[in-house]
Amino acid sequence: MRILVVNVNTTQSITDSIGEQAAGAASRGTEIVPLTPSFGAESVEGNYESYLAAVAVMETVRAYPEPFDAVIQAGYGEHGREGLQELLDVPVVDITEAAASTAQFLGRTYSVVTSLDRTVPLIEERLHAAGLRARCASVRASGLAVLDLERDEEGAVEAIVEQAAQAVETDRAEVICLGCGGMSGLTERVVERTGVPVVDGVSAAVTIAESLVRLGLTTSKVRTYAPPRPKRIVNWPPQAG
């Protein structure tokens, strides 16, 4: 089984971290292929960057030359999953939805701890669109930019743990979801400080993708995710200069 794990930003070190987390969660015999888009922002923290990332991720997957069995979109709250599902028959799993759906098996309510406050509405909208908002106690921002997670890991852990603890104590969350692909690898440290289950979206997405493939399930093509209609697309891809 081969699963493509596509970073939504262009920072290779984040792709490497996501790939390591995905490989650690994968079963024996599952090949994880981490991919970095060839264009886009170095981090995705707003609607413009998210829509740009959606196009970049779709084009990255379209350009992949080998067969694959599933795709994971490794961006929290990002756009584009629906477009991938139109393009592909294989299962497409978004880490936002994977984390939240997994959390609901573990407790009555969950909270998401993410990066900047401006990303909170994107995550809330994705959860609402997926029908996963009702049991979300809160979406909390750590105040850290995505790239800060690499620059100051200790400071990042402290900020994330602080918000996770407040989600448990104040918002009555029973499970925490790490709301950024770049937070992969912090699960155990947050568990130690909060005492509640902590779900990493990348790991959850790998497990879900493997299960869908093993069950022989594919994306429905009868209506919502039917393939794009054949038509002329003008000036795409755009020419440099």
Side-chain angles (χ1 to χ4, degrees):
M1 183 188 309
R2 177 181 290 153
I3 300 176
L4 308 186
V5 181
V6 192
N7 185 7
V8 297
N9 64 51
T10 57
T11 300
Q12 185 61 43
S13 57
I14 293 180
T15 302
D16 295 341
S17 176
I18 290 169
E20 290 175 8
Q21 187 73 13
S27 302
R28 181 178 298 178
T30 297
E31 178 188 1
I32 298 295
V33 181
L35 297 176
T36 305
S38 61
F39 64 92
E42 62 180 348
S43 62
V44 179
E45 295 164 328
N47 280 285
Y48 171 74
E49 294 162 352
S50 180
Y51 280 112
L52 182 61
V55 176
V57 167
M58 286 188 282
E59 291 304 298
T60 299
V61 172
R62 278 164 51 92
Y64 186 75
E66 302 295 332
F68 54 89
D69 300 292
V71 174
I72 292 171
Q73 179 175 290
Y76 218 95
E78 311 305 343
H79 303 91
R81 186 262 296 162
E82 295 88 346
L84 279 171
Q85 287 183 291
E86 288 187 4
L87 293 173
L88 304 172
D89 293 325
V90 302
V92 177
V93 182
D94 170 73
I95 66 170
T96 316
E97 298 168 13
S101 59
T102 300
Q104 294 185 143
F105 288 105
L106 306 174
R108 179 176 175 273
T109 57
Y110 69 92
S111 285
V112 178
V113 178
T114 188
S115 52
L116 298 177
D117 183 65
R118 67 176 295 161
T119 66
V120 170
L122 277 73
I123 294 171
E124 290 177 336
E125 288 172 6
R126 171 54 66 187
L127 294 173
H128 177 75
L132 296 166
R133 186 72 176 89
R135 287 167 62 181
C136 180
S138 60
V139 180
R140 285 180 166 267
S142 64
L144 296 165
V146 170
L147 297 181
D148 289 340
L149 299 171
E150 291 193 318
R151 295 184 184 125
D152 181 12
E153 183 174 337
E154 288 305 314
V157 171
E158 277 303 311
I160 293 164
V161 167
E162 174 63 25
Q163 291 302 315
Q166 289 189 35
V168 173
E169 295 165 10
T170 304
D171 306 332
R172 302 179 68 81
E174 298 176 4
V175 183
I176 297 296
C177 295
L178 297 179
C180 175
M183 292 179 182
S184 291
L186 301 184
T187 304
E188 291 183 7
R189 300 180 71 174
V190 179
V191 170
E192 289 174 2
R193 292 282 296 273
T194 62
V196 302
V198 177
V199 181
D200 169 75
V202 174
S203 298
V206 169
T207 302
I208 291 170
E210 287 184 328
S211 298
L212 294 172
V213 173
R214 290 197 179 99
L215 289 168
L217 298 173
T218 57
T219 298
S220 175
K221 295 296 174 182
V222 298
R223 188 175 297 111
T224 306
Y225 305 127
R229 295 180 63 197
K231 62 185 68 174
R232 185 168 63 95
I233 298 178
V234 178
N235 295 328
W236 184 259
Q239 301 299 313

